[in-house]
Amino acid sequence: MDAGIADNFGVSDALRFAYVFKDWIIENTSGVVLIMIRDTEPNERIHSIPIPSLLDNLTYPIASVYNNLSSIQDRKNDAHLEQARDWLGGKLQTVQFIYGAGWNRSEQERASLSWHLTSREKKSIISSIESDKNKEALNKLRALIHSE
């Protein structure tokens, strides 16, 4: 496991940075726009679980924690974002882009998200901006930038 186990999306680090400068932000800016780029949907749908094998029963406690890390982080990040909105006097907006948002594709078609990407994986990542959710996020970002 890597540092992603603590904060896979970087929200805690970004909010710690904003907290250090919160007084300056409140006095000198119209606010903060936190852009989040994710590789999974937040609070993904619950999938049905087939009848477990003996091995599944033995590994379930560890697998359960690992499989729920994103959901745990989503809930933690939501709470941290609400706290940040309070100490920034409501001057915090979030815009979320999601790789593969709204896709009905198999996991094999997703990019590996490693340091080396194939041409197909690069096209897959670039084309994900065309999803309805990401287009909405882009429009929200444009509106926030041009609101001042």
Side-chain angles (χ1 to χ4, degrees), residues 73-138:
Q73 287 182 17
D74 283 342
R75 286 181 186 85
K76 181 182 76 168
N77 288 340
D78 288 346
H80 288 213
L81 288 165
E82 285 306 312
Q83 289 172 337
R85 282 186 182 93
D86 285 344
W87 46 255
L88 282 172
K91 292 183 166 191
L92 173 65
Q93 296 287 331
T94 59
V95 178
Q96 193 164 234
F97 293 93
I98 305 164
Y99 170 59
W103 283 359
N104 290 321
R105 299 180 184 177
S106 68
E107 286 293 315
Q108 290 80 17
E109 292 186 42
R110 290 180 54 85
S112 61
L113 302 181
S114 68
W115 289 108
H116 175 73
L117 299 173
T118 65
S119 295
R120 184 200 56 78
E121 290 172 326
K122 290 175 187 176
K123 287 178 187 173
S124 174
I125 291 169
I126 292 168
S127 70
S128 72
I129 197 67
E130 297 299 325
S131 75
D132 290 340
K133 286 183 181 181
N134 287 335
K135 285 181 181 178
E136 287 174 29
L138 192 55

Side-chain angles (χ1 to χ4, degrees), residues 39-99:
D39 67 331
T40 58
E41 297 266 357
N43 303 317
E44 289 185 344
R45 285 178 256 128
I46 298 172
H47 302 285
S48 61
I49 301 171
I51 297 172
S53 67
L54 178 60
L55 181 61
D56 291 335
N57 283 331
L58 292 172
T59 61
Y60 179 77
I62 296 168
S64 178
V65 170
Y66 180 77
N67 291 332
N68 287 302
L69 282 176
S70 287
S71 295
I72 292 166
Q73 287 182 17
D74 283 342
R75 286 181 186 85
K76 181 182 76 168
N77 288 340
D78 288 346
H80 288 213
L81 288 165
E82 285 306 312
Q83 289 172 337
R85 282 186 182 93
D86 285 344
W87 46 255
L88 282 172
K91 292 183 166 191
L92 173 65
Q93 296 287 331
T94 59
V95 178
Q96 193 164 234
F97 293 93
I98 305 164
Y99 170 59

